Amino acid sequence: MNTALSRNELPDPLAQPDWKYSFKLTFLDVFQLFLYVGTIAILTVEGSRHFHEYWRERYVLVSLAIIGIWRYTWWLTHFFRALIFNFWVYPGIRRQAEYVWKQGWRPQKIVFLICSYKEDPDITEKVCLGLIRSIRQIGVHAEIFVSGTADDEDQYTTMMGQYAPDDDIKLIFVRQTIPDKRIAVGQLLRAISRREPGPDDPVVFMDGDTIIAPGCLKRCLPLFYLFPKVKAVTTNEKAIIKNNTFFQKWFDLRLSQRHMQFQSLALSKKVLTLTGRLSVFKAEKVVKESFISTVENDSISHWLWGTFRFLSGDDKSSWYALIREGAQMLYVPDAMVYTVDQVKGSTVLRIWQNIIRWSGNSLRNSGRVIQMGPWKVGFFTWWCLIDQRLSTWTCLSGPVAVIAVALVKSPYSALAFVLWILISRFCFSFVLFFYNGRIDMTFPPVLYFNQIMTALGKMYILFRLPLQRWSNRSSSAIDPGGFNGLFKKAMALYLTILYLGMLILFVAIYTKLVSLPDWESIRLLFM
């Protein structure tokens, strides 16, 4: 079991300069790069004498290549769009924002909405330090609305009194009596609405373990002045994990992918979620009862499970509340926040739980947004949502095909597939190194691990959408019992097996491992 994070292991928001992108290159990273490439070369040479057996099944390679070309083309589309945003579009936006800021533009006031629930005191201290520095950089009146337990209230009161007794900051606490974040967000939003903020006042949604890096908010706020149609922005993120290297690598990989994808989406002035870690909204949107009700009581109707309320995914609900109005949203790549997480128990189990929660949030929201159509959502964002669903099956088609060929035809197909994974994921990772800020040769295997785990997680949760878990708040949003519950669970299991079987059959036919009977054979069968 991991111990609590110590103060020295957390970034100090008051001691650091404004966050800026940097790329670090070390001898060890370069050595690992050459070691990885050498491993690929050795496997290629050693396996080349056996590959002729696999080449006999070249139709399998061609079949998988068609799916691969589609997937890689889509991935490259994101990459080039991200480059356009990063090197051509965003630098102009940043120059305009800096000019506006230097000319003295400021919001009338800034409002913070913080959901804190039994947080570590050391983390809360750093959160408060980040808040104080950000407010001082902005130089306007701030109202901080916090929900949590009595202990959380005492911590915030003590920290703000100790570090900012004379600052123009008003701390307002809303006691959280039940461990339900959505209810807490709703209570905070209603408390904010009673203070009657101006329509253009920025409202910062953030978690109780989010540490704001220097310069973050002053890079975000001018964008609302420059782009009046933009109703929300979200930021870059770096995770800090204690005593769990693999979990840290996994998070680094996912956040590097997110960094690239969100820059691509920002080119269309859309994102796929307004992360609860830190996003900034215009007050005119979040004080509406329709917005508050959506975040607080979001639900959908399912043909098998009926109508059920969402437990997690409040950031998806806030995104949905804006996307259905056609609102524009931006990603701010050089606005950084640090998030703190502590892993207890099995690393793989924790990763699986996170994937199930994130995949469930995505699937519960994407279906209804896809139904809006590309004219409402925007074609590129709309297609991204469709692709998220298709990738569940395309990602699994490769390993299913290789396992089938290895069992039926040639076992050396597995070696060829391993080489293909090593090479293709290395190419993907080489791009992600830029967004990660360093070369990390654990990325290729972790990338494939993440892709397979995510695909399996989506396939599992697709038929179990109400089964939501949130380890530090409550266990499950719905747990049907009795015969009706057993029937629904059995039906979900049946559908999972059916869809997996259909995937295996499709891959077997697609790669010509199984031949469909001709009409003459069908006719003779029924004679």
Side-chain angles (χ1 to χ4, degrees):
M1 182 178 295
N2 294 314
T3 58
L5 288 165
S6 69
R7 297 187 181 188
N8 294 332
E9 293 169 306
L10 297 175
D12 189 342
L14 294 183
Q16 296 178 347
D18 285 5
W19 182 88
K20 293 182 180 180
Y21 173 82
S22 63
F23 188 89
K24 297 179 181 178
L25 189 64
T26 66
F27 173 78
L28 181 60
D29 292 338
V30 175
F31 174 75
Q32 291 175 344
L33 173 64
F34 279 103
L35 188 64
Y36 187 93
V37 174
T39 301
I40 292 177
I42 292 172
L43 288 176
T44 303
V45 171
E46 290 297 318
S48 59
R49 56 189 168 196
H50 300 293
F51 285 168
H52 68 280
E53 299 181 26
Y54 184 56
W55 183 245
R56 295 173 191 168
E57 319 302 334
R58 56 187 177 275
Y59 53 81
V60 178
L61 284 173
V62 174
S63 299
L64 293 178
I66 294 173
I67 297 176
I69 290 171
W70 168 39
R71 298 303 311 157
Y72 304 147
T73 301
W74 180 241
W75 189 87
L76 286 172
T77 300
H78 270 303
F79 172 61
F80 286 119
R81 284 174 58 92
L83 287 180
I84 293 171
F85 181 80
N86 189 53
F87 290 105
W88 280 277
V89 176
Y90 187 70
I93 294 175
R94 172 53 48 226
R95 286 193 295 270
Q96 294 179 61
E98 289 177 349
Y99 176 79
V100 167
W101 194 262
K102 288 178 181 178
Q103 291 300 308
W105 176 88
R106 298 291 188 274
Q108 292 297 314
K109 71 174 179 179
I110 185 168
V111 180
F112 292 87
L113 182 155
I114 305 175
C115 289
S116 181
Y117 190 75
K118 299 181 179 180
E119 292 293 348
D120 185 284
D122 291 337
I123 296 175
T124 299
E125 180 180 10
K126 297 300 183 182
V127 170
C128 290
L129 291 176
L131 280 169
I132 293 167
R133 167 132 185 194
S134 297
I135 293 168
R136 287 173 178 170
Q137 285 183 329
I138 298 168
V140 299
H141 171 64
E143 294 179 351
I144 302 176
F145 292 78
V146 184
S147 73
T149 64
D151 289 339
D152 294 314
E153 181 176 358
D154 291 341
Q155 290 171 21
Y156 271 89
T157 302
T158 301
M159 294 299 146
M160 299 305 290
Q162 178 180 350
Y163 294 113
D166 301 321
D167 288 55
D168 189 10
I169 299 173
K170 185 173 182 60
L171 182 63
I172 303 166
F173 206 89
V174 178
R175 184 68 58 82
Q176 186 173 351
T177 56
I178 57 175
D180 190 317
K181 185 181 178 183
R182 287 181 175 272
I183 297 297
V185 173
Q187 291 174 339
L188 289 172
L189 287 174
R190 288 189 171 86
I192 291 172
S193 67
R194 288 193 292 270
R195 300 282 298 182
E196 298 182 350
D200 294 329
D201 288 342
V203 181
V204 182
F205 284 46
M206 57 183 285
D207 285 343
D209 59 357
T210 298
I211 303 171
I212 306 176
C216 175
L217 293 182
K218 74 176 185 180
R219 292 187 173 106
C220 294
L221 301 184
L223 301 183
F224 293 108
Y225 175 83
L226 293 172
F227 305 102
K229 293 183 179 180
V230 170
K231 304 304 179 184
V233 300
T234 193
T235 61
N236 198 354
E237 177 186 342
K238 182 174 178 57
I240 303 169
I241 312 297
K242 169 68 174 176
N243 289 345
N244 198 309
T245 303
F246 184 81
F247 200 73
Q248 179 73 67
K249 300 292 186 184
W250 180 70
F251 246 115
D252 289 344
L253 172 68
R254 289 189 64 95
L255 292 176
S256 297
Q257 290 178 288
R258 173 185 180 272
H259 189 45
M260 181 185 75
Q261 186 185 44
F262 273 41
Q263 288 187 76
S264 169
L265 289 160
L267 200 59
S268 303
K269 289 189 171 63
K270 301 287 184 180
V271 291
L272 287 182
T273 186
L274 293 166
T275 175
R277 296 301 197 180
L278 192 142
S279 294
V280 189
F281 297 76
K282 274 191 173 181
E284 64 175 341
K285 291 297 180 181
V286 302
V287 297
K288 288 182 176 180
E289 182 57 33
S290 59
F291 182 95
I292 298 174
S293 297
T294 298
V295 176
E296 194 174 43
N297 299 301
D298 203 2
S299 63
I300 60 172
S301 296
H302 190 269
W303 67 270
L304 176 61
W305 297 97
T307 300
F308 59 90
R309 177 178 174 269
F310 298 166
L311 172 64
S312 62
D314 56 284
D315 52 350
K316 284 287 189 180
S317 295
S318 60
W319 168 77
Y320 170 70
L322 294 187
I323 203 77
R324 68 186 176 188
E325 297 181 3
Q328 293 184 357
M329 296 164 253
L330 276 178
Y331 175 65
V332 191
D334 57 353
M336 178 65 74
V337 298
Y338 300 99
T339 58
V340 184
D341 205 346
Q342 301 180 58
V343 182
K344 299 178 181 179
S346 168
T347 301
V348 175
L349 179 60
R350 177 64 185 277
I351 289 175
W352 175 254
Q353 290 173 343
N354 280 348
I355 287 175
I356 289 296
R357 180 160 60 90
W358 295 335
S359 298
N361 294 339
S362 176
L363 291 171
R364 281 185 286 273
N365 279 275
S366 61
R368 59 187 181 181
V369 177
I370 290 171
Q371 291 177 3
M372 295 179 186
W375 52 88
K376 185 78 170 180
V377 182
F379 178 79
F380 189 78
T381 306
W382 179 77
W383 183 255
C384 283
L385 295 170
I386 294 177
D387 179 74
Q388 285 183 342
R389 290 178 169 248
L390 294 176
S391 63
T392 303
W393 311 106
T394 56
C395 185
L396 293 175
S397 62
V400 167
V402 170
I403 292 172
V405 172
L407 293 175
V408 177
K409 298 288 185 179
S410 171
Y412 292 103
S413 63
L415 179 58
F417 185 69
V418 168
L419 274 173
W420 170 248
I421 293 301
L422 290 175
I423 294 171
S424 62
R425 271 51 186 184
F426 171 69
C427 293
F428 285 170
S429 300
F430 207 81
V431 173
L432 294 177
F433 294 158
F434 169 76
Y435 295 99
N436 185 49
R438 57 164 294 202
I439 295 174
D440 191 335
M441 292 315 300
T442 63
F443 269 23
V446 174
L447 176 61
Y448 190 65
F449 168 82
N450 180 66
Q451 289 174 331
I452 296 298
M453 289 285 284
T454 301
L456 291 173
K458 286 182 179 179
M459 184 180 66
Y460 172 81
I461 203 65
L462 179 63
F463 306 107
R464 301 167 178 82
L465 290 180
L467 305 183
Q468 308 161 65
R469 293 190 179 275
W470 205 341
S471 58
N472 68 333
R473 291 193 180 263
S474 64
S475 58
S476 178
I478 182 172
D479 187 14
F483 176 79
N484 187 44
L486 289 175
F487 171 78
K488 291 180 178 180
K489 292 177 181 178
M491 179 59 72
L493 177 61
Y494 165 74
L495 290 172
T496 304
I497 296 173
L498 175 64
Y499 272 62
L500 181 59
M502 291 173 62
L503 173 66
I504 295 172
L505 178 61
F506 172 80
V507 169
I509 295 172
Y510 184 69
T511 56
K512 298 184 179 180
L513 291 176
V514 174
S515 298
L516 290 173
D518 54 28
W519 287 111
E520 182 63 22
S521 299
I522 295 175
R523 187 183 66 83
L524 292 174
L525 179 66
F526 289 97
M527 287 184 62

